[in-house]
Structure formats: structure tokens, C-alpha cells
Amino acid sequence: MSDRIPVLLVDDDPDLRAVTASFLEREEDRLAVETAADAAAGLDVLADREVECIVSDYEMPGKDGLAFLESVRERDPDLPFVLFTGRGSEEVASEAISAGVTDYLQKRGGTERYERLANRIVEAVEKRRAERDAEQAVEQFRAVAEGASDAIVTIDTDGVIRFANPAVESVLGYEPSELEGKPLTTLMPERHRDDHREAMERYLDTGERGVDWSNVRFNALRRDGDEVPVSLSYGEFAVDGERQFVGVIRDETERDRHRAFIEHASDVVAVLSRDWRFRYLSPSCERVTGHAPSELLGERSLDYVHPDDREAVESAFASVDPGGTPPSAEYRFRTADGGYRWLESVGSDRIEADGVEGYVVTTRDVSERKERERTLSRLREWTRELNYTRTTEEAAELAVEAVDDLIDAGLSGIHLRTADGDSLEPAALGQSVPALFETQPSYDRDAPEGSRAALAWEAFHGEESVVVDELSTYEPLDESSPAESLVLRPIGDHGLFVVSSPEPREFTDTDVLVAEILSGHLEAALDRIERERRVERLHGATRTLVGAESREEIARRAVEAATDVLGFSIVTVRIHDEAAGGLVPMAVSPHAEELLPERETFTPDGGSLNWAVFESGEPEMYDDIRETDALDADTALRSLLIVPVGDHGTIAIGESEPEVFDGVDEYLAGILATAAETAFQAEARTRRLAERTAELERQNDRLEEFAGVVSHDLRNPLEVARGRTQLAREECDSDHLESVERAHNRMTALIDDLLTLAREGDPVTDAEPVDLGAVVDSCWRTVDTKAATLRAEANATVVADEGRLKQLLENLIRNSVEHGSTGSRTESGDSVEHGSTSSEGRSPSGNRAPPGDSRAEPDDSVEHGGESVTVAVGTLPDGFYVEDDGPGIDPDRREAVFDAGHSTSQSGTGFGLRIVEQVADAHGWSVRAVESEAGGARFEITGVDFAE
């Protein structure tokens, strides 16, 4: 607290007021006097500023000195008040003392009266300060005692308990109120009481302590009559001149636990006033902050809080919810050396009694935790970046940067195993390595014992971190090193993570943990990079499988991919061959041929592992086949991985060492097996397609031969018969000749349609944009439509063979005209005529029939029934349609109408709609028969491409 004493001087005489103020400040330089002309002005000063003493005249205008004293006492009952008056009388003095004046002085006399007044002011203020400090000390004691886990009691010189804290109940079984007013001997067994009384009397008389007050051990008597071993520590203090003693009673059964807590606790207990000033600090304050408790008492705690954290601290402790969650805050506190340390404070009970207000606050040093949090946060950022590295070099460089940032280890390095496995070579090194090492450190596998290389390989083959605090005294190492602190961490099978420093004992447990976490993520990154590299190369290799022309070639390329890309040495590809009765070895790697006996066919009853995998369709991995009943268990083969290739066979991969394969190998082998299966399937499809193509070519040859026979060998005799019939008509008139002519016409139509079916089935290869509407108009003019009506809505350009498209449309239009009569309809099931020629003498194929060809019977209603039918042609989203309003097609016969030879007309060939379907198939289109909106027949052609 500042030694300055602010004083308020109230006097209505301005000259005397000024003189008094000057003399007081001259007599005592600690006094800072402020003046007021009357009581009202004095009260205003009290309201605005802190004053520790008031000096007031008695006779003043308005309120006199005693009335002013009464107003002051309403504000502060203990504020020192000196009545300094020129009117001296016993009556005034008595009244002033009764009103609670601190001192009474008369103005008469020389300048020595100012010296007396100054002394009285200082005495009164110091006394008030001492009383206030004592009160605060008592309240602080009570606050600490109330929250203490030890039983605390105070006793007077008569040995009577004056105070007991709540902890006496847990230790001794008494409520505090049950002990207060009772002798301390209540807590002692009968055998200890006389000794206690004698010791107290001797101390009060002579001051001699018979025992060590810091640790008195005895059995205390609990409320229930049981004895409990306790230790008691005493202390003496005075309250208002009265001697008292304080005793702290600890349950001896918990002594060791409490002692360990006290000796190792890092928490600081503090009491803060309402204005954030330290009123009490436990001794651990110096260890945590560097400040001795005495240095901080009276200081404003917020002044030591980092400016950026003050608002958060004030907000956290601004209010307390009784019974709720205690307020807490984390902040940076200025230490004795001028730096900052992270602390965490938790408030407990708020003190508000007898003028003392504040918090009991428990504070602990959380700097290490905050540093760990920062480190772990940065570690997450570094490991996240490792997940995005694309190359081994990039991952190694990033890991070294990370460890330098997180641990500040500039001698770190990543050493990866070479391809031949004989050395650990540096892939990335810390910035300080070149300055301290003459050459880049690398470690040969065959290095002698005691060398740095031997130590590195020992750590690489181990599973745990090797941590050396002082390398120069490390017995297993004979070779000198610039490093002193060392952490070696294996990175899986990839290599070694070296973290070192030239200073001994540099790395904490947290540093080691960070290195281990970082190396784990580096291992995962290197695994991923290696896997991605192998997968990329594997994909490139497997693409060649699909181009293989035979199963033998596929098997050979699969073996090459497994050995050259995946790095496996013993590989066998087996193909399931029904004729051979099992899995036949189709391709074998060179190393397998050297190491293993000649491969044989594995049959279902042979007990081979390959057949079991092929039959189950699931891969199997064996760490050591010598522990199984495998057929090769007595060979040099140890590790074995078998993956099925669908229904085609297996790929067996092996090594001469046990426990070689892992999940990545199984994953990559699975990709290879899938690619091989796809290749085998493609080869099988290609083989079947070739066989089918050859068969189709043979069929086409037979059809071409058939067409030649039909076109030449049948048509010529038919023409002879037609000619002979014509000659017979000239020589004689007979009804039989007309029947013969109709038969000839029927035969001609059949020959034409058969030729169309034989020659129009090839796929369309020369399609081009065709105006659908123009083709419809042309077909309508070509077909004998009689009195039928056309409704054309086909405004589109399709991609098609124009000649075949006309063939399709002519047959559909002719079918609607000939079978769509509304004047003499037959039953719906008899309404379909396929391939009828028009009255213009054209066959369904478009060939003109010989003169006189009329085909239909005289009373054939279908041939002459199209007088009032309406035929509509329009487009669909992916094609077009032809429909009529005739009798339609029986739903049960809509699929059959496209069968060759299906006809409901005596004169029809039954090939007309079959030709329609054939033309559609040649284009890649689909055709179906449905019912039109008018109830007639509707044919929809879909899958058609429109020209843009």
C-alpha cells in the first residue's frame, strides 16, 4: 500500500485553512492535505476521492463540526476524524467524544500545535490501517480455513475453542458449532489431557515450548468415541491484544498423501480483493511466477495479465453464480523475468464480510499444456500436409521441416532403405546437419558393432523408439557423434527417422511422442505414395492384358506385371481346364522355375490351396505354408498369396521368406487378378465372336447359294411355265388356265420375298441423312392406295439407307391399305396381310411383277378393302410410326405378325412384316405392333438417329 496519507481539512476561515494545510505538509511530508470551506463541500470531496483522515473546525456556517462528524460516520464509521477547534470547553470535548471523534485538539498555542496535529493524524491513520489489515488477515484466514481440507481450530489462553472450520466434521465427526466454546481437551483421550494442560501453563508462564509446534502427533478422540491418529501444528497470533492459538489437525492416515500433494503441488492459492488486488498468496507463487508473495501483495493482479487476455479474465470473474460452475480463465501472466507464462485460475468462494471483498482463487501453471496444445495443433497441420504429398522426396522434406518446427531439432533426418536393402541413405536432412557433419550421414547394413550405423540398423529392426539422453556416455556406441540427444524411430519398412540435438537431455516425453506420431504419419504417407506408384504402374501393365490374343498370352503378361511392376518373384498363373480336370499352370515366373519343382495340374481332390481359393472365390494369404498342409510345404516357398481370377483360374504369388505379404500386396494382387479376369472374358468374347462370325459367313454363303438357286434355277422354269400358259390361252379357253396363272403369280411373289429376306439382312454400313417426309410421299405414290387417305406428319431427317427405308415404309403402308378396310372388315385376328403386291404389279420387295399379275382372289375383301382407310405417318422422340384406323391386330398375335410365313390372306406370302423387322434390325432399330388411338394397327420404329 502507498505510504501517502490523504487528509481533508475543513475550515470556514480561508487564511487559517491555508496556513494549517501548509504547516501539516511541512511537519509530515507523507501528508497530502486537501481543503474544504464547509461540511457540504467536505462531503463532496469524500464522495469523489479517497481520504484517510478528516480534520475539521467546530464552529462553521451550516453544519458544525459535530454535525459534520455525524454525516461522516454514516458513510464510514471508522474513518479517523480530528476535531481541531478554537472553542475549547469540556462540554464540546465531551460531546465530541460521545459522537465518536478520533481526537480532539484546540487551535490555541504556537506552531507546535501543528506538529501535534500532524502526529495525531499519522497515529490515527496508522492505527486504522493496522486494524484494517488485521481484519482483512482474519477474514483471509477464515476464507482459507473454510475451504481447507484439514481441520482448523483456534483457542484462547484458557484452552477454549473459539473457531472451528467445516473440515472438523470429516476429520473428528463434530459440527463446528458443537466444538466452539468447548475446551480443546474435548478432542483428546483422557491420558493426554493433563500433559496438554501442563504444557500450556508452562508456555504461558515461561514461553518455553515443550514440543515441536509444527508437528505434534497423538491420537485424537472423535465424536463417536473412536481414536484416530492425527498430527497437529500450532501457531500463535493476537486479536485486539488478546493472545490466541491456531491449530491445524490432519488425519495421520492421509498424511503421506497430503505431504506428497504439498511437496509437488504447482497450484497457487490467492485471495483477491474487489479491485483485483492480491490480499494473500501461497508460497508456491514464487515457484510458478518467479515473484515472492510479498512482492505482489497489494498489487493489482490484472496489471500482470497480458493486455490481450485482460478482458476475458474480467468477464470470467465478473459475477459468480452461487452453487453453479466456478468461474475460470486461462491467461498469460507476467513473470519476474519480464516474460509471460500461461496460467489457469479457478475461483471458489467469494469473500464479502467486514469490509473485505474478493475471491479465493486457485491457480496452476498450464504453460506446458498450452505448449503441448500448440504443438499438437501444429502437428495436425503438418500431418494434414503429409497426406497431400505426391513423392517420397516431398514427404521426407516435409517431415524434417515439421520436426524442426515442432521440436526445434535441426540435426534431424529421414534415412530410407535402398532398393537392395543394404543401406539407409538420407532422403532429407535438417538445416544444421551440413554444418556439423563432414559428410551426409548414411548407414551401411554391415557396419561394425559400436558404430552409428549399427545403432541405426538396430533401431530400424526394432519396434520401439530408441531414446538416448547423452550419446557421449552411451555404452553401446563407440563412435563419436556431433549429436548428444538422440531419438531413433523406425518408419515401418521404409527407413529410419533420426531426431537429434547437440545438447544433452534436450528432448522431453512430449518431444518423443511428437516424433513417434510424425513418423507414423510419414510411414502412412510413404505407404500411400508407394501404393499409388505401384497401382499406377500396375494399371499401365494391366492395360496390355486386354490386348492379348490368347489365354496363354494373358497369363504370360500377368506374370510379367506381377514380377516387373509389383516386385513379386515367385508367380504362377493357372487356368481352369475342364478337359484336364483342374487348374493347369499356364505361365510361371523365371524365379519360380528355378526354385520350385515343375508345376503340375491341381485337381479338385488333390488338396491344393489353389483349388480351395478357386472354389471359394476368396483370396487367401499365408504367412508360412510350412505350418499348413500345402503341397509345396516341403519346398523353399514360405509366404504365399493366392487370388482367384473369377471362373478362369488363380494367380499364386510367393516368396522364400515368411510373413512377407500385407494388405497392400493383397490389394494390388486383387487389381491384377481383376484385370486378368477382364482380359480372359474379353478373349472369350473375341473367340466366340470369331466363331460366330465364321458361322455367319458360312450361313451367308449358304444363303447366297440359295438365293442364286431361287433367282436362277426356280425363276427360269417359272417364266417358261408362264409363257406356256399364255400360249395355251391363245389355243384354247379354259378356266383352269386362269387358276394356273394365279398360281404362277403367287410363286413369283414368293420368290421375290425370299430373295429379299436372303439379301437384305446385312447390317447397314452406308447410312446417310434421309428426308423422312419425302420418302413417305414417294412410297405413297408407289403403292396402290386406292381410295385410302394419307395423313403425313413425318417432318424429320433420319440417318438410314434410303432404299431399305423405302422397303420398310412401302410394306407398312401396303399392309394398312390392304388390311385396314372399314367397309368390309374381317375379324381383327384376320386383318394382317404380309407382302401383298400392289395393283401396279410390284412385289413387296419393289420388283415389278409380270403383266397381268393381279394376285387377289375375286372376292378377297382384304385386297379391295382399303377404299376408306386413313393411314398416318408421324415421328416419335426416337423414331417414327405408321398407323391406320382399320380393325387392328389381336393383342395375342402382335408378336407373331413378324414371323416369316405368317399371313391371314390366301394370296399373301407372309414375309412382308418379317422384311420390315429385318430392315429395322439391319439399322439397329426396334419395331413393335400396338393399337392406334382409332383402334387400328400401329407400328412404332424406335432407336432411330435424327440428323442435326
Side-chain angles (χ1 to χ4, degrees):
M1 180 177 293
S2 173
D3 200 35
R4 175 179 173 275
I5 300 175
V7 177
L8 174 62
L9 174 62
V10 181
D11 198 309
D12 61 324
D13 187 333
D15 295 333
L16 187 57
R17 192 167 63 236
V19 171
T20 304
S22 298
F23 270 104
L24 288 178
E25 291 178 348
R26 189 181 68 179
E27 292 294 335
E28 178 58 64
D29 56 6
R30 289 189 296 167
L31 299 182
V33 182
E34 183 171 356
T35 63
D38 53 29
L43 292 174
D44 291 339
V45 173
L46 288 178
D48 294 338
R49 287 175 290 283
E50 181 183 5
V51 172
E52 289 196 76
C53 184
I54 296 176
V55 178
S56 177
D57 189 14
Y58 173 67
E59 292 181 344
M60 294 183 296
K63 288 186 177 182
D64 62 14
L66 295 181
F68 179 37
L69 172 62
E70 184 178 354
S71 298
V72 170
R73 287 289 173 259
E74 291 176 358
R75 291 172 178 246
D76 188 345
D78 300 319
L79 180 64
F81 192 103
V82 178
L83 193 63
F84 187 55
T85 177
R87 179 183 176 185
S89 68
E90 292 297 331
E91 179 183 356
V92 172
S94 175
E95 188 176 355
I97 293 172
S98 299
V101 73
T102 305
D103 209 339
Y104 175 84
L105 286 168
Q106 292 185 359
K107 296 179 180 179
R108 293 191 300 272
T111 57
E112 66 274 6
R113 68 178 182 272
Y114 296 114
E115 181 181 356
R116 290 197 303 274
L117 177 60
N119 291 336
R120 298 289 180 86
I121 292 172
V122 171
E123 291 173 0
V125 170
E126 288 181 345
K127 180 181 178 183
R128 168 68 188 281
R129 287 180 176 180
E131 291 173 350
R132 185 166 55 192
D133 290 344
E135 292 169 357
Q136 291 177 350
V138 170
E139 293 304 323
Q140 289 168 5
F141 165 77
R142 286 185 176 273
V144 173
E146 291 289 337
S149 59
D150 294 332
I152 299 176
V153 296
T154 62
I155 58 175
D156 57 21
T157 54
D158 294 328
V160 176
I161 298 174
R162 304 284 293 275
F163 167 81
N165 73 338
V168 297
E169 183 176 7
S170 61
V171 177
L172 302 169
Y174 288 94
E175 290 282 348
S177 59
E178 293 181 284
L179 287 178
E180 292 172 354
K182 291 185 177 180
L184 182 62
T185 53
T186 303
L187 304 177
M188 300 178 184
E190 185 67 35
R191 63 183 181 276
H192 296 318
R193 294 176 181 175
D194 290 341
D195 293 340
H196 167 71
R197 294 189 188 98
E198 291 176 3
M200 280 292 295
E201 291 175 359
R202 183 170 57 254
Y203 174 73
L204 291 175
D205 291 342
T206 66
E208 179 186 349
R209 298 184 180 182
V211 294
D212 181 6
W213 281 21
S214 65
N215 189 14
V216 180
R217 298 186 180 183
F218 65 98
N219 284 350
L221 189 65
R222 287 176 52 86
R223 188 177 187 278
D224 57 11
D226 292 339
E227 294 187 12
V228 57
V230 299
S231 63
L232 173 66
S233 57
Y234 277 109
E236 184 178 357
F237 64 99
V239 178
D240 295 333
E242 179 185 357
R243 298 173 70 183
Q244 291 193 18
F245 302 90
V246 61
V248 179
I249 305 171
R250 295 186 181 92
D251 188 339
E252 186 67 14
T253 57
E254 298 292 326
R255 179 176 58 85
D256 293 340
R257 181 178 65 83
H258 284 293
R259 175 180 297 170
F261 174 78
I262 293 171
E263 290 177 353
H264 299 93
S266 59
D267 292 359
V268 179
V269 178
V271 176
L272 299 179
S273 65
R274 184 175 59 179
D275 59 354
W276 298 92
R277 296 186 183 278
F278 289 114
R279 296 306 184 197
Y280 169 80
L281 285 161
S282 63
S284 56
C285 169
E286 186 167 5
R287 178 168 47 83
V288 173
T289 69
H291 297 286
S294 59
E295 296 175 4
L296 295 180
L297 289 177
E299 294 290 325
R300 191 169 182 267
S301 59
L302 285 178
D303 292 342
Y304 289 82
V305 175
H306 193 285
D308 293 342
D309 301 335
R310 288 173 188 168
E311 183 177 351
V313 173
E314 286 187 280
S315 176
F317 288 89
S319 60
V320 177
D321 180 14
T325 303
S328 63
E330 291 183 358
Y331 55 93
R332 287 160 289 182
F333 190 88
R334 190 173 75 246
T335 57
D337 60 5
Y340 282 91
R341 179 170 293 182
W342 277 98
L343 303 180
E344 179 188 42
S345 292
V346 178
S348 54
D349 295 333
R350 184 181 180 92
I351 308 170
E352 290 188 12
D354 298 332
V356 179
E357 297 182 359
Y359 288 110
V360 175
V361 177
T362 302
T363 301
R364 66 181 56 188
D365 184 356
V366 294
S367 298
E368 290 187 5
R369 174 168 63 81
K370 296 295 287 188
E371 181 61 24
R372 284 197 302 272
E373 290 175 357
R374 188 202 72 85
T375 299
L376 292 176
S377 177
R378 292 286 297 140
L379 178 60
R380 284 192 293 270
E381 296 176 9
W382 282 110
T383 55
R384 189 161 46 242
E385 290 189 39
L386 271 175
N387 292 335
Y388 295 102
T389 52
R390 308 306 304 169
T391 65
T392 299
E393 294 74 15
E394 182 185 358
E397 290 287 351
L398 191 68
V400 168
E401 291 179 22
V403 77
D404 191 25
D405 172 50
L406 299 172
I407 305 178
D408 191 19
L411 291 183
S412 300
I414 305 297
H415 298 260
L416 300 182
R417 186 172 60 169
T418 55
D420 58 13
D422 292 335
S423 179
L424 295 172
E425 295 293 336
L429 295 173
Q431 296 179 354
S432 302
V433 172
L436 296 179
F437 285 85
E438 295 180 359
T439 59
Q440 289 189 352
S442 62
Y443 308 116
D444 294 332
R445 187 172 190 172
D446 56 356
E449 290 292 328
S451 64
R452 297 199 305 264
L455 178 60
W457 275 95
E458 181 183 354
F460 171 68
H461 287 305
E463 296 182 355
E464 302 295 331
S465 300
V466 174
V467 182
V468 182
D469 290 332
E470 195 168 348
L471 207 59
S472 58
T473 61
Y474 188 58
E475 292 185 0
L477 185 66
D478 298 332
E479 183 181 2
S480 63
S481 171
E484 273 294 322
S485 298
L486 179 67
V487 178
L488 300 177
R489 179 69 181 180
I491 314 170
D493 295 330
H494 300 283
L496 191 67
F497 203 149
V498 180
V499 182
S500 61
S501 170
E503 301 298 328
R505 299 178 182 82
E506 185 71 12
F507 303 127
T508 65
D509 291 343
T510 300
D511 295 335
V512 176
L513 177 61
V514 168
E516 291 176 347
I517 294 174
L518 194 59
S519 63
H521 282 275
L522 176 59
E523 179 184 356
L526 295 177
D527 285 343
R528 172 183 53 78
I529 292 170
E530 174 64 17
R531 183 169 60 251
E532 290 173 353
R533 184 185 64 81
R534 296 174 72 186
V535 168
E536 184 177 355
R537 292 183 58 201
L538 180 60
H539 283 163
T542 55
R543 281 194 292 269
T544 66
L545 294 177
V546 180
E549 297 180 354
S550 66
R551 296 198 299 172
E552 292 79 4
E553 181 68 12
I554 293 172
R556 184 183 64 78
R557 293 185 182 182
V559 169
E560 291 176 352
T563 55
D564 298 343
V565 177
L566 301 183
F568 302 132
S569 60
I570 303 174
V571 183
T572 302
V573 175
R574 296 178 177 275
I575 301 300
H576 182 241
D577 189 332
E578 292 185 1
L583 296 171
V584 178
M586 188 68 67
V588 181
S589 67
H591 192 57
E593 291 180 336
E594 297 173 2
L595 196 65
L596 302 178
E598 184 177 354
R599 303 287 82 192
E600 61 184 27
T601 299
F602 289 150
T603 58
D605 55 356
S608 73
L609 300 179
N610 271 266
W611 184 265
V613 169
F614 173 72
E615 194 171 48
S616 69
E618 297 294 332
E620 289 290 345
M621 186 162 57
Y622 304 91
D623 290 335
D624 192 346
I625 64 170
R626 293 184 181 178
E627 299 176 359
T628 68
D629 296 330
L631 299 179
D632 289 323
D634 58 347
T635 68
L637 188 64
R638 300 293 297 274
S639 299
L640 182 62
L641 171 61
I642 308 174
V643 290
V645 187
D647 297 330
H648 302 279
T650 62
I651 299 177
I653 300 168
E655 294 295 343
S656 57
E657 295 181 3
E659 300 182 2
V660 170
F661 303 123
D662 56 17
V664 174
D665 295 319
E666 182 178 356
Y667 168 74
L668 295 174
I671 293 177
L672 178 60
T674 301
E677 180 182 4
T678 303
F680 282 127
Q681 292 172 347
E683 185 275 337
R685 287 194 300 270
T686 301
R687 181 160 31 87
R688 289 194 299 269
L689 180 59
E691 294 172 354
R692 177 62 176 163
T693 301
E695 177 64 24
L696 289 175
E697 288 177 353
R698 290 192 294 271
Q699 291 181 5
N700 288 338
D701 290 342
R702 290 194 295 270
L703 285 173
E704 188 64 30
E705 181 181 0
F706 169 74
V709 171
V710 170
S711 177
H712 184 270
D713 295 347
L714 292 182
R715 193 186 294 279
N716 287 349
L718 179 59
E719 291 300 321
V720 172
R722 290 169 66 93
R724 292 291 184 180
T725 302
Q726 185 65 30
L727 293 175
R729 278 183 177 278
E730 295 177 359
E731 295 180 359
C732 65
D733 186 14
S734 172
D735 292 339
H736 294 294
L737 293 175
E738 184 176 353
S739 296
V740 171
E741 186 175 1
R742 286 198 301 272
H744 289 161
N745 291 337
R746 174 72 171 162
M747 293 174 66
T748 299
L750 286 170
I751 290 172
D752 289 341
D753 285 351
L754 285 172
L755 287 174
T756 299
L757 287 172
R759 291 171 173 168
E760 297 297 329
D762 293 337
V764 172
T765 58
D766 54 352
E768 58 184 5
V770 178
D771 187 336
L772 180 61
V775 174
V776 171
D777 291 341
S778 175
C779 292
W780 188 259
R781 291 192 299 270
T782 301
V783 177
D784 182 8
T785 56
K786 299 181 176 59
T789 302
L790 173 66
R791 188 175 73 246
E793 300 173 350
N795 298 322
T797 301
V798 299
V799 179
D801 181 318
E802 184 173 0
R804 296 197 193 186
L805 178 60
K806 291 181 65 175
Q807 182 78 51
L808 179 147
L809 289 170
E810 285 178 356
N811 281 14
L812 290 177
I813 292 173
R814 183 179 295 111
N815 182 79
S816 293
V817 171
E818 294 180 353
H819 300 284
S821 171
T822 57
S824 57
R825 295 183 180 180
T826 61
E827 293 182 6
S828 61
D830 298 326
S831 63
V832 181
E833 164 61 26
H834 303 277
S836 297
T837 57
S838 68
S839 59
E840 293 182 358
R842 288 188 180 273
S843 70
S845 63
N847 298 322
R848 183 171 295 278
D853 184 2
S854 58
R855 293 195 186 183
E857 297 292 336
D859 58 351
D860 186 356
S861 62
V862 175
E863 175 70 18
H864 306 287
E867 297 177 352
S868 60
V869 70
T870 297
V871 180
V873 182
T875 58
L876 298 170
D878 61 342
F880 56 90
Y881 65 88
V882 178
E883 67 177 10
D884 58 57
D885 58 357
I889 306 172
D890 188 335
D892 294 336
R893 300 180 60 189
R894 287 174 184 164
E895 295 290 336
V897 297
F898 297 104
D899 295 340
H902 182 88
S903 176
T904 59
S905 170
Q906 294 179 356
S907 61
T909 65
F911 297 129
L913 292 182
R914 178 69 182 125
I915 293 172
V916 169
E917 185 178 54
Q918 190 178 52
V919 172
D921 289 343
H923 283 84
W925 303 340
S926 299
V927 60
R928 65 171 184 159
V930 296
E931 185 178 6
S932 68
E933 291 184 1
R938 175 183 170 105
F939 295 89
E940 295 181 346
I941 295 85
T942 56
V944 179
D945 292 331
F946 292 97
E948 296 181 356

